[in-house]
Amino acid sequence: MSIWRVKPVSAFEADMKKSTLKKVLGKWSLTAIGVGAIIGGGIFVLTGTGAYYHAGPALALSFIVAGIACVFAALCYSEFASILPVEGSAYAYAYGTIGEIFAWIIGWGLILEYAMGSMTVAVSWSGYFNKLLKIFHIELPDYLTSDPASYTGEGFSMNLPAFLIVLFVISILVKGTKSAAKANNMIVIMKVSAIIFVIIAGAFFINTDNWSPFIPEATQIIEKDTTHNAYGFSGIISGAAAIFFAYVGFDAVSTQAGEAINPKKDVPFAIIASLLICTTLYILVSLVLTGMMNYQDFNPLGKYPDAIKAPVAYAFDIAGQGWAGLIITIAATVGLISVLMVMIMGQSRIFLGMSKDGLIPKVFSNVNPISGTPKTNLLILGGIIATVAAFTPINKLADMTSFGTLFAFTMVCIAVWILRVKQPNLTRTFKVPALPVIAICGISINTYLMINLSTDAQSLSLGWLLIGVVIYFLYSKKRSKLNNPEE
């Protein structure tokens, strides 16, 4: 059979009817899932990395560029979600439009996106958790809070808090989507309140000298044997690419379509609403943060070595407002748990969709009849994510996540255009206006940002995709349900 075989829309509809996932998510729960995933990694963590390694005070412009890139992809996602309201996100959309090999590559890229995203957030959570412990005069030894690349001592080291938080989140997710959604809703309310607090309180401590020059002159940052190109216009673009994974939350909304009560209407609403809310908050926080603290102070080898791991809290500490730093540290420590929850939940649903189609082992599509969750799937994922997060530096993880996100967004923009041409009469409760223009803009800007990621991230990510192609031809192609319809 051809590697370009397409899964018929009727097959997706049959899957939806047979699905044992519980439909418990309404419009606002879906929006909270999007906000829960978007608000966290970008604001609480990557603001420091983006300011120091990429854009300086112009980080706000990086968030604007990334937000614009997301708008085009979000519109395309919304049209797809109104046609195929199933778990699997961009993977499912491509399988129903372009063909199996294309869907497999996207699915394999989404695995990279969600796995690396989960690991990045776990490492970030560890940074805030360690800061919280220090406030109460508890300090874990360096060898239990550092990955081997960051550890300056001798002997064994691991990021134990990052390892343990993944296992804790898995224990919540296996109990059921409804209870996980309730926990997420409460956390989202708390951390959005904390973000609004940061914007209002931080505005009183802005030193406009920290914004001058707003776009620093392009230069190179040298660390050990590594050289980073930073600042200038290219720094704004590379900053947008590096922080892009923070926007993966609206993609996570589409992975939950199989558990939505009214997916054809509510999923498009939640995708667009969560993106608009979070982009506005990102821009405001990045302006406040770079106004409160000079971007050079986020240097991990400088005066405040831990500031890059917990930038928002440290900005208030340095401003002499330790009480505010405590509030933010608590909010971030709790808030990042919901990001991790949504990321792992999203990845498990992508695995579920690929497993149903026979492209990965059947164990990933087994749904526990009591909890209505893919329990074994979650336990396997949790073990892998926890282990890698404990031993890998955060900057490598974040860049590879951004590659996976940008790649998926580009593919969705292509696929929705192809489907509009091939099947114009399909029922669409949401249609992208001026689709050719929106699709071309989405493809162009997402590809451009991908090109501006670090060379290491590009090499490692392309290597991951090549491994995926090999696995497809050795395993998945033969076992595909489309290749074995009698099963």
Side-chain angles (χ1 to χ4, degrees):
M1 296 251 327
S2 168
I3 60 173
W4 297 103
R5 55 198 170 205
V6 172
K7 183 175 179 179
V9 173
S10 58
F12 283 107
E13 290 170 347
D15 284 348
M16 284 184 266
K17 288 176 184 175
K18 290 188 291 182
S19 176
T20 52
L21 294 171
K22 294 182 179 178
K23 295 187 177 293
V24 294
L25 300 174
K27 177 166 63 177
W28 293 108
S29 288
L30 288 165
T31 303
I33 284 173
V35 173
I38 299 172
I39 295 293
I43 284 182
F44 291 126
V45 183
L46 290 186
T47 40
T49 304
Y52 179 69
Y53 286 108
H54 297 282
L59 180 63
L61 299 180
S62 295
F63 276 115
I64 291 171
V65 171
I68 291 169
C70 280
V71 167
F72 300 126
L75 290 169
C76 294
Y77 264 91
S78 296
E79 177 165 327
F80 259 136
S82 75
I83 303 167
L84 298 174
V86 292
E87 67 278 346
S89 180
Y91 155 77
Y93 304 156
Y95 210 171
T97 56
I98 300 176
E100 187 173 275
I101 182 66
F102 199 79
W104 167 263
I105 292 170
I106 289 183
W108 193 249
L110 285 170
I111 292 169
L112 175 72
E113 171 189 329
Y114 278 97
M116 293 298 167
S118 300
M119 294 164 197
T120 303
V121 174
V123 174
S124 306
W125 181 88
S126 173
Y128 274 96
F129 178 69
N130 289 326
K131 178 167 173 36
L132 185 61
L133 290 181
K134 286 177 184 176
I135 290 171
F136 295 101
H137 308 291
I138 302 169
E139 195 156 347
L140 295 175
D142 283 350
Y143 71 87
L144 289 181
T145 60
S146 304
D147 61 82
S150 306
Y151 184 50
T152 54
E154 294 181 0
F156 173 82
S157 71
M158 71 176 291
N159 194 332
L160 182 62
F163 182 86
L164 294 177
I165 191 58
V166 175
L167 301 186
F168 172 72
V169 165
I170 292 295
S171 72
I172 295 173
L173 293 177
V174 295
K175 290 178 181 176
T177 300
K178 192 170 184 177
S179 57
K182 282 182 179 177
N184 180 64
N185 291 347
M186 288 188 290
I187 294 172
V188 166
I189 291 168
M190 188 193 78
K191 67 180 174 180
V192 170
S193 301
I195 294 303
I196 293 170
F197 167 79
V198 168
I199 294 165
I200 295 171
F204 291 98
F205 300 99
I206 288 174
N207 177 357
T208 53
D209 290 343
N210 289 331
W211 286 339
S212 182
F214 190 70
I215 303 177
E217 190 175 334
T219 187
Q220 287 190 328
I221 297 171
I222 300 171
E223 288 180 343
K224 296 183 180 178
D225 300 324
T226 308
T227 301
H228 304 273
N229 292 317
Y231 317 131
F233 174 76
S234 61
I236 294 170
I237 300 301
S238 67
I243 57 160
F244 203 85
F245 105 89
Y247 284 101
V248 71
F250 79 79
D251 177 284
V253 174
S254 68
T255 68
Q256 300 303 127
E259 289 146 283
I261 297 167
N262 186 7
K264 291 194 174 187
K265 289 185 178 178
D266 292 350
V267 171
F269 173 88
I271 287 172
I272 294 169
S274 59
L275 178 61
L276 293 176
I277 292 166
C278 297
T279 302
T280 303
L281 293 175
Y282 273 152
I283 293 166
L284 293 174
V285 168
S286 59
L287 285 170
V288 168
L289 183 67
T290 54
M292 292 178 68
M293 189 169 168
N294 190 285
Y295 68 96
Q296 297 284 4
D297 287 336
F298 291 113
N299 183 352
L301 303 176
K303 188 177 178 182
Y304 308 106
D306 291 330
I308 199 164
K309 294 180 183 177
V312 181
Y314 271 95
F316 279 94
D317 284 352
I318 293 165
Q321 306 300 314
W323 62 274
L326 174 60
I327 291 172
I328 293 156
T329 301
I330 293 170
T333 304
V334 178
L336 285 170
I337 293 173
S338 78
V339 184
L340 189 56
M341 196 184 298
V342 173
M343 291 245 178
I344 295 176
M345 194 157 57
Q347 171 147 23
S348 69
R349 273 38 174 196
I350 290 164
F351 269 14
L352 178 65
M354 295 175 78
S355 178
K356 278 183 179 179
D357 293 328
L359 301 182
I360 60 175
K362 189 178 179 181
V363 66
F364 290 102
S365 57
N366 293 337
V367 175
N368 184 283
I370 298 170
S371 65
T373 61
K375 187 175 179 180
T376 308
N377 177 339
L378 284 164
L379 292 173
I380 294 170
L381 275 175
I384 295 169
I385 291 167
T387 304
V388 178
F391 297 99
T392 311
I394 188 170
N395 59 325
K396 299 283 187 196
L397 293 170
D399 276 6
M400 288 182 71
T401 308
S402 290
F403 183 96
T405 310
L406 288 162
F407 179 75
F409 287 4
T410 303
M411 297 300 104
V412 168
C413 291
I414 294 170
V416 77
W417 194 3
I418 290 174
L419 185 61
R420 184 80 73 85
V421 172
K422 287 173 69 175
Q423 299 191 50
N425 297 322
L426 276 179
T427 301
R428 293 167 168 86
T429 54
F430 177 90
K431 291 185 76 170
V432 178
L435 178 59
V437 175
I438 296 294
I440 289 169
C441 288
I443 294 162
S444 302
I445 194 166
N446 285 294
T447 303
Y448 183 59
L449 290 175
M450 229 185 307
I451 293 168
N452 278 277
L453 282 168
S454 67
T455 305
D456 278 356
Q458 291 175 349
S459 302
L460 290 169
S461 301
L462 289 171
W464 172 262
L465 293 178
L466 285 173
I467 290 169
V469 171
V470 172
I471 291 173
Y472 172 76
F473 283 105
L474 292 180
Y475 177 91
S476 305
K477 183 174 182 287
K478 299 172 188 174
R479 290 168 175 81
S480 163
K481 288 277 180 73
L482 290 187
N483 204 26
N484 301 280
E486 67 280 359
E487 293 183 13

